[in-house]
Structure formats: C-alpha cells, structure tokens
C-alpha cells in the first residue's frame, strides 16, 4: 500500500509537517520561557511602580507631618493664637487629601505653665470635610500617656526625623487600624512637642491587592484584568512588625503589629524569580524596601502569573495540532481530486486501450492532465492507425509465408507411382518468413534431383531471393545434364541476380533412380547423414564448396557414390542443429546423430517426425528462432522392367457413403484384388483397413447429409495404393492417439481400435486436406 | 448372415455363423447373441463362438467380440472362440485380444 504515488506524497507531507511542527514546538518552548522571564520582569516593574506610589504617599505624609510641626513651632514662637492655628491646620489638611487626620501635641506645661495639655487635632469626617476635634485635650484621654505619643517622642530626635509608629486600633473615634507618622517640634533646639498624621492601613491593603502588571508593557493583559490570588505584606523592618497583610491563609488582623517572621513566606532576602512553595502552591515573591525603611513583599501564584501565557500557548498548540490534521487532510483531498483521480482515469483508459476497447479520452481539469489526456487521445488514435497498418502488414506477411510454404512441394508421396525411392521433406518456418527451402523433381526420365538450401538472412528480402533461386535452379536443371556444369551455371546466375549480397548454402543430390548412382554437391551446407542398408547413420564427409552467390567463377567439386536399396540420406538445414534450448545450448550434430540412430523406422516421413519430436523435446518452451527444414531420401532399388505408369491398373469406386453401400464397396475391393492376383494375406489387410476408413466416413464425415466417397485402388510392381477422398468435415485420423492395447479388456474403450489397426497394417499412410476434401492415402507393399 | 444359436446344458450357448464379420454383419451377429444372453432365464456362463466358417473379421467385428466379452465378464461367464483360422488370429493379435480371449 506504500507503493502508490498517493501514499508517497502523503508520507512526505506528513514527515515535512512533523519536522516543521517539532521545530515550531521547540521554538515555542524557548519563547515561552523567555516570555515568562519577561513577564516576571514586567511584574517587577509593576511592583516598583507600586512602591513608587506608596513612597510618594509616604513623602506626602511626611511633608504633612513636617508642615504640622512648623505650624506648631510657629504657634509657640508667636502670639499663640489658637484661632489662627486651627484655621491653618484645617487648610493644611485640605492640601493632603490622603491623610485621615493629624495634630500637634505639646509637651506638658510647655506652652502655658497653667495648662498641662495643649493640642490641636483635625480629621476628615464622613462627608470628607476637615473638622477640628478638641476632645483630645481632655484629662480623660491624657495623650501624654498614650503609647503612640510615647513611642514617637522617644524617637523624634534629631530635628526633622520622621517616625512611624506601630500599627494600632484607634479606639477613640472610628476604631480603624492605623499607623501614625510623627516628627518633633523643635524651638531653638529644644523639643517642645510632636506633630502626627494618621494613615488608615486598610487603604494600603486595598492598594496591595489592587496591584497589577503594567498594562502597556505586556499586551497580554487587557485593561483591568488583574492577577488574582496574589497576596502582599507591608511591614516595618525597624520595629519588626507587620503593618498590613493580605495572606488568605492567615488571620490578618491578629498578625498586625506582630513580628514579620510570623508570616511564613516572609523572607528579607527574596528577589525576583525565586519560587517559594506555600500551601502546596508555587509563588513568585517580590521584595521591596520603601524609603522610610518599611518593606513590601508581594507574592504572586505562578499559575496566575503565567495564566495568560499558558492560555495563549495552549491555544497555539491546539491550532497547530488542528493544522497538523487539516493540512494533510486537505492535501489528501486535493491530491486525490487533482492528481490521483486523473491518473487513475488515465490508467483505466490505458487498460481499456490495451484491451482493444475504443475509448474517448476526456479530462478537463487540471490543465496538465487535460493536455496529457489530449496527447493520450492522439496517441491512441495513432496506435489504432498503426495497429491497423500492422495488422495489414502481418496479414500480408502471413500470406507471403503461406505462398512461400506452398511453393515447396508438399504433397507426399509426390510420385506414388515411383517405387524406386521414397522421399519426404518438411519445412517448419520460424516466426518470420525465412530463407530455407527444399525442392525435388525429375530432371529426365530416370534422374531425380533433390536439394535443400538456406538463403542467408531473414524476412521478406531473403524470402523473395529464395523464390528467385528456387525457380532459377529448377529452370536450369531441366536443361543441363552434367551436374558440374549445372551447378556452375546456377552459381553464375545467382551471382548475376544477387545485388544485395545474399548467398545460398545448398546441398543437392542427383540420383539415377535405375542404378542408384548419386552425385552430391555441397555448397557450404551442413553435412548430410547417410545410412547404408543395415548400418548406422554416419555423417558423409564431403569436401565443401563455396556457398552459391559468392564468386561468379568457381569450380565445384562433386561427390559421387552409389546407393543400394535401403540406403537413406538425411539432409537438413542449420535450424536443426542450431535449435536452442532453455540454457542457450544448441542441439548439435552429436544429438542429431544419436537421435537418428535410435530411430528404427525407415519410412522417411516417420524419420522426419521423430527428429522433429526430438528437437521439440530439447527446445521445450524456447521459441523457434530459425526455419527447421529436413529432406530425407530413401532409395529402394532400381526397377529393371519397363516403367509401369500405373494408370492402367487404377480402379475407382465412387458412391454415396452409407452402411448399406458397404457390401458393394467390399465386393468391388475383393473383385479388384482378385483380378490382380493379390494374396489372401494382403487382401485381408486391405479389407480390414478399407472397412475401417469406409465406416469412419459413413458415420462421421457427413453428420447431416449424404455425401460421396471416392476410392481409388492403384497397383504398381511392388505396392498397392489405396486412396480415400471425401468432402466431409475435416478429420485427420492420424492425429488420433493410439489406444493402450496392453490394458485389461474391462478398461478398454470399444472405439479407437480401428485406426490403430490401420496404422499398423498399412506400410505408409498419409493424410491431407485439399479443396475441402479429406484425402487419406494408404500404401501397402507387395 | 446365418447365425445358429444352440443351448448347451443349462447355461451355455454355442453359436455358429458363416461369412464375414464386418460393418455389414457384425452388428446383427452381436445383437442376436446379446439378446439371447439377456433373454435367457438362466444366467449364461459360457458362450462358444464357432469361427470355422468365418472368413474375415474387421475392426467392427472385433468391437463386437470385445462387447460380448465384457457382457459375459459382467455375469462371470466365459467367452470361448473355436476354430479360429490363422489369418483371423493375426487380426486378434494385432489389437492384443489374444491376451484375454480363450481360443480352443
């Protein structure tokens, strides 16, 4: 499944995307860390700004208290106008809107020897109006004995030293948690009292909890989007006490005034980006010292601090992950639509074309495939044209091949009336038309010429040349007696007609059918084998002449021998010895020699058949690469009596072939044989064969009509030829396999025995199909 | 063709015919014998074919003989051929029938 274009592109895309995404993830992790640092730094700035704000407030409180001290000093040094001082105090407080209230407190009896307590106090009422409060002058309150007074006065030295008190509850008026800032009132270096300003701590706590990062430095936080759950501590390091906390885990009110150490997360050496764990939660503390020595510690939960960042990154990852699915999916679909489907379509079309279907190719989209499809279409039409042309050429070629084959004598026996010799030849053409041929004919009354030849080259040119050569040899041999002269002329003529540089190897024999004299001419051809009567086949060691068509003026050497009755000469072309098996090994002369010597039969057609079978067995599935041509000549001995042409001895029987007519048929056969004085044994053989063939034709040749059978009986000196002709359906009885006669009788089929008998009884048997006739020829030796 | 069929004993047949056993006559010859075997009340166990006057047997005739042999064999009978001339014997040998037929 990973072999398709689709999967390959998809895999590549996924791999690339994975690489891209991992790179992006790495980048994101790094950038997230950076962003976190930035975030923390940003928060440091926020804390700084907050501290600055508080410092400003502190300065204002201190200014306020110092202003009050100056009023106090003025009061003391001038006419001690209470009215003016009161007015001034009210005025001052209007300048310091943050201050809750404050006052001027003189030491006992220092202004007026008669009056122990002189103080001025003003505060902001609920309507935010500054009003005077004279109730502190009372004996009952006795401010000199209040803790805050004592604390401040003990610390205000030297001049202008501002002191912050510990936090306390104002139980006189509003009962709120306060701290007081105070400074000494000095006249001529003498401390005559103090001035104080009150600061309501709850406002600090509010401020602390309102702390948020700077809006503009980090855009992640929208306006008013604060960091929740952070908590803070505001304390005085000098007194080691807590002024305010907003720790959700502790009871804050009770802690106020206590040691800073009681806040577990307090540590005076904290600085940004150290994490502390408090109640199983991670916090980032920010520690700052204020201008008056107070400290501010803000703890921000890590989760909260990075909440927005994490949210951002989670969103980003989600988008990335979605893209990771969506992109390949989109890729897959678009690839399918624009690439794979058109390809599949083209593939189907190609398949259809290869099956010979007529298809119209049309793809409109995308453009490249549209072009490809139109090219395809054109190509298909071209192929159709070419195929048509090719088919025409092929059919012409096969016609040429059959013309070529039919130009060779192919009716056997060719001279049924000649008993002096038997001849058989065959050419098995290779796929192409080739240049092998054979021929034989009488060149006069008793001289018989046979030849086998191979024109160099293949294909139409070789075939045409072969036809020329064959005709040429035939013509010349009719008018030349002397073999030597004949071959010389043949060669000369071939040279004259041969402009293309062909040459011809040939083995020709001219036999005197009366005497058995044989002239053999070998022009560069394969050596023939000869079997002398009862001996073995042996290669005839001939001196080879040069092939025909090479040199115009060549002398040829002729080999002369005499054949005795029973001698067989086997000639062939190199298609026999050079047949190739699956291992690319040639059949060879040795194999041919062995094969021939294993053949017990002496009938030329049987010999040819057996050699062919042997070659076929050897080559097996390897296609035939060259023409396989053989010509076998067997000499039966000359006949000294006058040549019997046989026509006088021919009898025929021609009737409608029916079972009823069989009686007439065998009567005719018997009468004829009796007339010729044929012995009982041979008569019996002929009778059996004739009956079988007759019955076959009667039963099977004309399945739906009545037809004729045409039988001829021909007697020669040493053989009888019995020929059957019928116009029925084509049937070659020789192709029928032999029955197994060694089978036990129960297993034997009833049919099939007849043809087997015929094959065994007749000495020679031939079948051919000619002009829609089945012609079966049986030859019986007398 | 004249075919004479005689009964021997309870389950034997003796058949005599003269002339040719070929396409023209063999079927008739075979049918007569087969019908007799099949119509017999007793199961025929022995059939003797007298060939003394048979002059010729063709492949058709041989087929009929094989059929008769098979028929008898199926009912555990024996087919015997009597007085077969040398010439006809050659025909039997040619198709290998001599290996299973009984000649007397």
């Amino acid at each position: 499944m990973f072999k398709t274009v689709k999967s390959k592109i998809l895999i590549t895309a996924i791999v690339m995307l994975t690489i891209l995404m991992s790179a992006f993830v790495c980048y994101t992790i790094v950038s997230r860390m950076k962003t976190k640092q930035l975030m923390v730094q940003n928060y440091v700035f926020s804390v700084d700004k907050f501290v600055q704000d508080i410092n400003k407030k502190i300065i204002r409180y201190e200014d306020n208290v110092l202003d009050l001290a100056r009023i106090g000093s003025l009061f003391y040094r001038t006419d001690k106008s209470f009215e003016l001082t009161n007015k001034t105090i009210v005025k001052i407080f209007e300048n310091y809107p943050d201050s809750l209230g404050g006052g001027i407190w003189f030491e006992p009896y220092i202004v007026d020897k008669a009056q122990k307590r002189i103080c001025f106090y003003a505060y902001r009422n609920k309507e935010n109006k500054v009003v005077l409060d004279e109730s502190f002058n009372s004996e009952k309150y006795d401010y000199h004995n209040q803790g805050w007074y004592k604390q401040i006065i003990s610390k205000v030295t030297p001049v202008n030293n501002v002191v912050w008190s510990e936090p306390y509850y104002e139980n006189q008026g509003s009962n709120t948690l306060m701290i007081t800032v105070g400074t000494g009132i000095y006249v001529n270096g003498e401390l005559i009292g103090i001035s104080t300003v009150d600061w309501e701590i709850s406002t600090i706590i509010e401020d602390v909890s309102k702390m948020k990062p700077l809006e503009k430095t980090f855009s992640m936080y929208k306006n008013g989007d604060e960091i929740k759950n952070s908590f803070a501590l505001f304390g005085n390091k000098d007194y080691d006490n807590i002024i305010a906390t907003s720790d959700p885990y502790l009871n804050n009110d009770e802690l106020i005034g206590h040691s800073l150490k009681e806040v577990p997360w307090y540590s005076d050496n904290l600085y940004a980006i150290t994490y502390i764990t408090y109640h199983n939660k991670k916090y980032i503390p920010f520690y700052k010292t204020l201008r008056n020595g107070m400290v501010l510690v803000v703890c921000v939960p890590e989760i909260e601090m990075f909440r927005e960042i994490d949210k951002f990154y989670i969103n980003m990852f989600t988008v990335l992950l979605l893209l990771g699915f969506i992109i390949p999916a989109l890729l897959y679909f678009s690839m399918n639509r624009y690439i794979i489907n058109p390809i599949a379509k083209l593939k189907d079309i190609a398949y259809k074309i290869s099956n010979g279907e007529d298809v119209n190719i049309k793809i409109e989209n995308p453009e490249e495939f549209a072009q490809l499809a139109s090219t395809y279409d054109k190509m298909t039409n071209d192929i159709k044209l070419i195929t048509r042309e090719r088919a025409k050429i092929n059919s012409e070629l096969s016609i040429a091949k059959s013309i070529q084959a039919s130009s060779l004598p192919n009716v056997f026996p060719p001279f049924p009336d000649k008993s002096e010799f038997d001849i058989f030849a065959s050419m098995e053409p290779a796929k192409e038309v080739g240049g092998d041929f054979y021929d034989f004919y009488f060149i006069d009354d008793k001289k018989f010429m046979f030849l086998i030849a191979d024109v160099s080259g293949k294909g139409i040119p070789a075939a045409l040349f072969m036809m020329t050569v064959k005709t040429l040899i035939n013509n010349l041999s009719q008018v030349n007696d002397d073999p030597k002269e004949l071959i010389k002329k043949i060669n000369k003529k071939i040279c004259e007609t041969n402009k293309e540089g062909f040459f011809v190897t040939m083995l020709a024999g001219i036999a005197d059918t009366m005497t058995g004299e044989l002239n053999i001419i070998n022009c560069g051809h394969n050596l023939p084998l000869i079997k002398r009567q009862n001996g073995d086949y042996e290669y005839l060691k001939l001196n080879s002449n040069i092939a025909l068509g090479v040199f115009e003026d060549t002398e040829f050497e002729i080999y002369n021998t005499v054949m005795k009755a029973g001698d067989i000469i086997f000639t062939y072309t190199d298609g026999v010895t050079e047949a190739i098996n699956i291992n690319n090994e040639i059949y060879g002369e040795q194999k041919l020699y062995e094969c021939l010597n294993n053949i017990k039969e002496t009938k030329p057609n049987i010999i040819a058949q057996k050699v062919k079978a042997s070659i076929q067995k050897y080559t097996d599935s390897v296609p035939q690469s060259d023409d396989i041509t053989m010509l076998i000549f067997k000499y039966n001995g000359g006949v000294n009596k006058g040549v019997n042409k046989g026509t006088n001895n021919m009898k025929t029987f021609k009737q409608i072939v029916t079972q009823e007519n069989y009686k007439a048929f065998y009567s005719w056969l018997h009468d004829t044989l009796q007339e010729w004085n044929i012995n009982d044994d041979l008569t019996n053989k002929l009778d059996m064969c004739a009956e079988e063939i007759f019955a076959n034709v009667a039963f099977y040749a004309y399945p739906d009509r009545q037809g004729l059978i045409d039988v001829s009986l021909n007697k020669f000196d040493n053989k009888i030829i019995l020929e059957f002709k019928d116009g029925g359906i084509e049937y070659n009885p020789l192709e029928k396999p032999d029955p197994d006669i060694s089978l036990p009788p129960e297993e034997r089929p009833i049919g099939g025995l007849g043809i087997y008998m015929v094959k065994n009884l007749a000495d020679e048997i031939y079948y051919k199909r000619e002009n829609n006739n089945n012609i079966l020829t049986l030859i019986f030796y007398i | 063709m004249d075919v004479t069929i005689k009964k021997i004993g309870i389950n034997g047949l003796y058949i005599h015919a003269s002339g040719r056993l070929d396409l023209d006559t063999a079927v008739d010859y075979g049918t007569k014998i087969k019908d007799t075997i099949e119509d017999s009340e007793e199961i025929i166990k022995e059939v003797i074919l007298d060939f003394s006057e048979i002059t010729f047997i063709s492949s058709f005739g041989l087929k009929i003989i094989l059929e008769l042999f098979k028929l008898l064999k199926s009912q555990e009978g024996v087919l015997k051929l009597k007085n077969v001339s040398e010439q006809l014997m050659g025909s039997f040998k040619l198709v290998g029938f001599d290996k299973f037929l009984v000649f007397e």
Side-chain angles (χ1 to χ4, degrees), chain A residues 16 50 95 130 175 190 204 257 284 417 429 512 540 606 627 631 659 668-669 703 709 733 739 755 760 762 771:
Chain A
M16 274 165 63
F50 181 71
N95 283 339
V130 182
N175 199 26
E190 188 195 347
I204 308 174
I284 306 169
D417 53 340
D512 187 318
L540 197 56
I606 305 281
D627 299 346
L631 184 145
Q659 197 174 347
W668 165 81
L669 185 74
I709 190 161
I755 283 298
N760 277 279
N771 301 329

Side-chain angles (χ1 to χ4, degrees), chain B residues 38-72:
Chain B
E38 276 157 10
D39 293 346
S40 165
E41 283 171 20
E42 316 295 335
I43 295 168
I44 302 298
K45 293 286 183 194
E46 186 184 42
V47 173
I48 297 164
L49 303 177
D50 187 348
F51 264 48
S52 54
E53 285 180 55
I54 299 287
T55 54
F56 172 74
I57 183 161
S58 75
S59 67
F60 240 82
L62 290 167
K63 276 174 213 159
I64 300 296
I65 302 295
L66 182 61
E67 275 173 31
L68 285 177
F69 176 85
K70 284 187 176 177
L71 176 64
L72 276 169

Side-chain angles (χ1 to χ4, degrees), chain A residues 474-723:
Chain A
N474 193 337
N475 291 344
L476 289 173
S477 52
Q478 301 297 332
V479 290
N480 286 282
D481 275 355
D482 181 35
K484 218 164 175 169
E485 279 307 305
L486 171 62
I487 199 72
K488 236 176 125 174
K489 274 191 185 157
I490 290 172
N491 182 44
K492 200 157 177 238
K493 275 276 178 209
I494 291 175
C495 286
E496 279 168 17
T497 51
N498 179 13
K499 301 274 184 290
E500 316 299 325
F502 286 111
F503 64 88
V504 186
T505 71
M506 180 181 82
L507 189 104
I510 299 171
D512 187 318
T513 54
M514 290 296 151
T515 60
E517 274 174 77
L518 179 66
N519 307 128
I520 301 177
I521 309 139
N522 180 18
C523 303
H525 201 81
N526 300 63
L527 289 179
L529 289 106
I530 193 157
K531 178 180 159 80
R532 296 289 189 184
Q533 285 170 317
N534 296 321
D536 277 349
Y537 285 92
E538 295 294 347
Y539 278 101
L540 197 56
K541 300 272 184 283
L542 297 173
N543 285 335
S544 185
N545 296 295
I546 195 152
L548 300 172
V550 182
F551 297 117
E552 207 165 307
D553 294 309
T554 314
E555 291 295 324
F556 289 90
E557 202 179 304
I558 312 278
Y559 177 84
N560 298 312
T561 182
V562 176
M563 287 183 100
K564 300 235 165 58
D567 286 3
I568 300 169
I569 182 158
F570 179 91
T571 68
Y572 57 94
T573 57
D574 55 7
V576 171
T577 44
E578 284 165 21
I580 281 166
N581 75 356
I582 200 145
N583 298 322
N584 223 14
E585 295 157 350
I586 59 161
Y587 185 71
E589 294 178 355
Q590 182 58 29
K591 272 225 168 54
L592 178 62
Y593 173 84
E594 284 161 12
C595 168
L596 282 170
N597 282 318
N598 277 331
I599 299 171
K600 297 285 162 277
E601 286 86 348
T602 58
K603 292 175 196 167
N605 61 327
I606 305 281
I607 295 166
Q609 194 187 317
K610 299 235 160 161
V611 172
K612 229 182 272 176
S614 165
I615 295 166
Q616 204 140 45
K617 199 179 157 201
Y618 184 76
T619 56
D620 197 18
S621 58
V622 180
Q624 186 186 333
S625 60
D626 202 355
D627 299 346
I628 293 176
T629 311
M630 290 176 249
L631 184 145
I632 301 139
F633 179 82
K634 183 187 173 207
Y635 187 61
N636 295 330
V639 181
N640 293 322
K641 293 174 265 175
V643 178
N644 196 336
K645 288 286 175 196
T647 42
N648 296 335
N649 278 338
M650 191 158 107
K651 301 275 179 184
T652 56
F653 174 90
K654 191 168 180 176
Q655 284 205 20
I656 288 171
V657 58
T658 58
Q659 197 174 347
E660 290 71 41
N661 273 342
Y662 171 67
K663 232 172 177 166
F665 171 66
Y666 91 73
S667 302
W668 165 81
L669 185 74
H670 272 252
D671 292 349
T672 309
L673 294 174
Q674 215 155 16
E675 191 187 314
W676 289 344
N677 291 319
I678 302 301
N679 66 38
D680 284 354
D681 211 31
L682 189 52
T683 304
N684 196 39
K685 272 191 193 176
L686 274 151
D687 199 351
M688 286 186 96
C689 294
E691 189 241 28
E692 172 63 22
I693 306 301
F694 188 92
N696 259 344
V697 176
F699 293 148
Y700 306 117
Y702 305 103
D704 45 9
R705 65 189 167 100
Q706 287 201 325
L708 289 174
I709 190 161
D710 189 350
V711 189
S712 73
L713 198 57
N714 224 333
K715 179 182 172 285
F716 302 99
D717 291 330
N718 56 356
K719 58 186 169 193
I720 290 173
I721 297 174
L722 179 60
E723 190 179 88

Side-chain angles (χ1 to χ4, degrees), chain A residues 113-128:
Chain A
K113 300 274 192 264
Q115 209 167 341
K116 188 181 178 185
R117 290 176 291 269
I118 291 179
C119 67
F120 299 91
Y121 189 78
Y123 70 97
R124 222 169 278 276
N125 69 6
K126 276 163 189 155
E127 287 84 39
N128 202 23

Side-chain angles (χ1 to χ4, degrees), chain A residues 10 14 17 322-335:
Chain A
L10 212 63
I14 288 170
L17 212 72
L322 278 176
L323 282 181
F325 283 108
I326 290 168
I327 290 173
L330 279 178
L331 203 71
Y332 180 82
F333 285 119
S334 62
M335 207 166 64

Side-chain angles (χ1 to χ4, degrees), chain B residues 76-103:
Chain B
E76 293 174 346
V78 188
L79 180 70
K80 289 179 180 170
L81 280 76
K82 222 172 167 173
N83 305 323
V84 180
S85 74
E86 212 162 295
Q87 200 178 36
L88 293 194
M89 197 63 197
S91 301
F92 284 111
K93 279 183 180 160
L94 183 67
V95 290
F97 279 19
D98 57 320
K99 297 199 179 74
F100 57 87
L101 288 177
V102 181
F103 296 94

